[in-house]
Amino acid sequence: MTPTTPELAEKYLMQTGRRLPVTFVRGEGCLLYDEEGREYLDLVAGIAVNLLGHAHPDVARSVTGQVKTLIHTSNLYFTQPQVQLARRLVELSFPSRAFLCNSGAEANEAAIKIARKWGTRNRDGAFEIITSVGSFHGRTLAAVTAGGQPKYSDPFKPLPDGFVHVPFNDIEAIKAATTGQTVAVMLEPVMGEIGIVPAAKGYLADVRKWCDEKGLLLILDEVQTGLGRTGRWFAHQHDGITPDVMTLAKGLGGGIPIGACLASPRADVFEPGDHGSTFGGNPLACMAALTVLAVVERDGLVGHAAEMGDLLHAALMELGVKDVRGVGLMQAFEFEEPRAKAFQQACLDARLIVNAVDENSVRLVPPLIITEAEIERAQDIMLKVLA
Ligand SMILES: Cc1ncc(COP(=O)(O)O)c(C=O)c1O
């Protein structure tokens, strides 16, 4: 008998995570199709990645065109898409320059290295970065140590020095943890991986003020929150502040791997030879990202995400679940009992894709192009599953 895809995966793929029992072969907009041709409504979007949904015609066209033109040259040379993308990201955010890489973890790794070099130059070799308990910054050794979830880092001890974890949304904890060794504070504006925990009103502004007072860098990880997901181009814009360093990835390439680390002139300390990436910012990924940004802008998807986020939130409130929370199209809710995983499976059986982040909480991060009718369809399925 021909082995199934899950059987082949068990034999040939390292078992780094648990997969749901479904194999997708194609997608279109907010819909995915499995090997048997069954249709699913996707409220996870490749974990907050496919901003324009699946198989968006503009992305398909530009990526195909770029594949036929130039995929990769390395960073020994200039390419036009790379420079254009850096320019666009800076125009959309704050005065800065960009380092382009391939993932969120890599973007954060760059931010951490920037902070350390900046500390060597400006703060007598200070190197400690204050981060949040429960945060998630990726899986490289430094990024996983920066993240405040020991379950992800403990198996890999000894971990790199220089990360101090404090409770999120507690400015006094940051103040108390600041010492002569501190160089930066690194935060997610909305903690995503742990199940959508937004910064409390005023928190980011208080942290910005503290960093200014003490001469620290503020690093914001907008890998999940960036590029329209929260109803603003960048989540920190809700708070009227600007970070010194910002990291992006996930949605940027519409599914093609790409990451970016932006640093303001004050923090822009990298010099030739300091950092690099063979694939980072290659013309293919940059062209995909330029197209995603152009379509988000052309189709007004930032405002649309805010509007659809409100509708999704209201739809979840009617489910009778606990603690519906979120910003824009980053929403979550809680079960009193540990039934999020069973709910996720039941939704999958009913052809709706949701994400159980743990035993109790469910996260929804759909494509920004989701429509009111699709939110109603999702609510309908969830109501049936809950009944
Ligand atoms: C806030 C945040 N930072 C960093 C990462 C890591 O990104 P990547 O998986 O692309 O390395 C994630 C991934 O979930 C994330 O949510």
Side-chain angles (χ1 to χ4, degrees):
M1 249 190 20
T2 324
T4 63
T5 305
E7 283 164 357
L8 289 172
E10 183 163 350
K11 185 159 180 205
Y12 293 112
L13 286 177
M14 285 192 197
Q15 301 293 296
T16 54
R18 267 180 216 62
R19 292 170 207 262
L20 289 165
V22 62
T23 304
F24 292 119
V25 292
R26 127 186 127 77
E28 192 180 339
C30 293
L31 302 173
L32 280 169
Y33 297 86
D34 70 12
E35 285 175 316
E36 269 78 47
R38 286 180 294 237
E39 179 184 291
Y40 299 76
L41 179 56
D42 180 10
L43 298 192
V44 177
I47 321 185
V49 166
N50 305 292
L51 299 184
L52 307 181
H54 302 281
H56 192 281
D58 291 87
V59 177
R61 205 174 308 119
S62 82
V63 166
T64 311
Q66 192 60 44
V67 165
K68 291 178 184 165
T69 309
L70 188 69
I71 295 178
H72 177 81
T73 60
S74 90
N75 288 304
L76 294 175
Y77 320 100
F78 297 104
T79 67
Q80 289 162 353
Q82 183 178 93
V83 176
Q84 292 304 335
L85 176 62
R87 177 186 184 172
R88 197 68 202 110
L89 288 173
V90 170
E91 285 169 356
L92 286 169
S93 56
F94 53 93
S96 54
R97 288 194 295 189
F99 170 76
L100 295 170
C101 52
N102 310 286
S103 68
E106 266 186 76
N108 285 326
E109 196 76 27
I112 291 163
K113 287 175 76 174
I114 285 173
R116 289 200 171 190
K117 183 163 183 199
W118 189 84
T120 303
R121 273 205 185 163
N122 300 299
R123 280 182 66 81
D124 254 354
F127 64 95
E128 270 180 12
I129 301 178
I130 299 174
T131 71
S132 301
V133 174
S135 63
F136 187 82
H137 298 294
R139 301 289 197 147
T140 61
L141 205 50
V144 85
T145 308
Q149 300 193 62
K151 68 176 178 192
Y152 293 137
S153 55
D154 275 1
F156 308 104
K157 284 179 169 172
L159 301 171
D161 265 356
F163 296 96
V164 178
H165 301 95
V166 300
F168 191 55
N169 277 334
D170 182 347
I171 182 66
E172 294 310 321
I174 288 181
K175 290 183 179 175
T178 303
T179 68
Q181 287 297 349
T182 310
V183 72
V185 178
M186 179 171 178
L187 299 171
E188 292 167 80
V190 180
M191 289 206 289
E193 202 268 349
I194 200 179
I196 315 293
V197 182
K201 206 167 166 42
Y203 177 60
L204 291 182
D206 285 346
V207 177
R208 174 73 273 179
K209 198 159 155 251
W210 180 250
C211 287
D212 289 342
E213 248 174 78
K214 294 291 160 186
L216 310 174
L217 293 181
L218 175 59
I219 302 170
L220 290 182
D221 177 343
E222 295 240 21
V223 165
Q224 191 162 157
T225 53
L227 305 167
R229 178 147 299 280
T230 69
R232 300 293 290 263
W233 271 104
F234 304 102
H236 64 261
Q237 293 169 339
H238 291 284
D239 299 84
I241 61 142
T242 311
D244 301 294
V245 178
M246 173 172 73
T247 56
L248 299 169
K250 287 204 182 271
L252 184 55
I256 303 284
I258 181 166
C261 175
L262 272 61
S264 69
R266 172 173 176 247
D268 186 353
V269 289
F270 279 160
E271 294 163 297
D274 274 346
H275 198 50
S277 162
T278 299
F279 291 124
N282 73 54
L284 176 64
C286 290
M287 187 50 84
L290 278 165
T291 307
V292 169
L293 297 178
V295 174
V296 168
E297 188 157 41
R298 181 195 72 196
D299 295 351
L301 292 179
V302 178
H304 182 74
E307 207 181 312
M308 291 302 113
D310 288 346
L311 289 183
L312 180 59
H313 189 88
L316 298 177
M317 292 292 283
E318 287 170 11
L319 296 182
V321 288
K322 244 180 50 177
D323 195 17
V324 178
R325 57 187 183 269
V327 193
L329 284 174
M330 253 184 123
Q331 297 285 332
F333 59 85
E334 205 81 12
F335 286 111
E336 205 111 29
E337 308 294 323
R339 43 185 293 224
K341 298 264 154 98
F343 176 78
Q344 170 181 259
Q345 181 61 50
C347 284
L348 187 70
D349 294 340
R351 316 277 164 77
L352 176 72
I353 302 177
V354 302
N355 174 227
V357 287
D358 54 32
E359 294 301 332
N360 293 77
S361 29
V362 175
R363 167 173 59 165
L364 307 174
V365 281
L368 305 192
I369 57 164
I370 194 166
T371 61
E372 186 170 353
E374 285 166 332
I375 290 172
E376 280 166 12
R377 177 171 159 191
Q379 186 199 33
D380 201 43
I381 298 174
M382 287 191 271
L383 281 170
K384 284 194 182 115
V385 165
L386 289 169

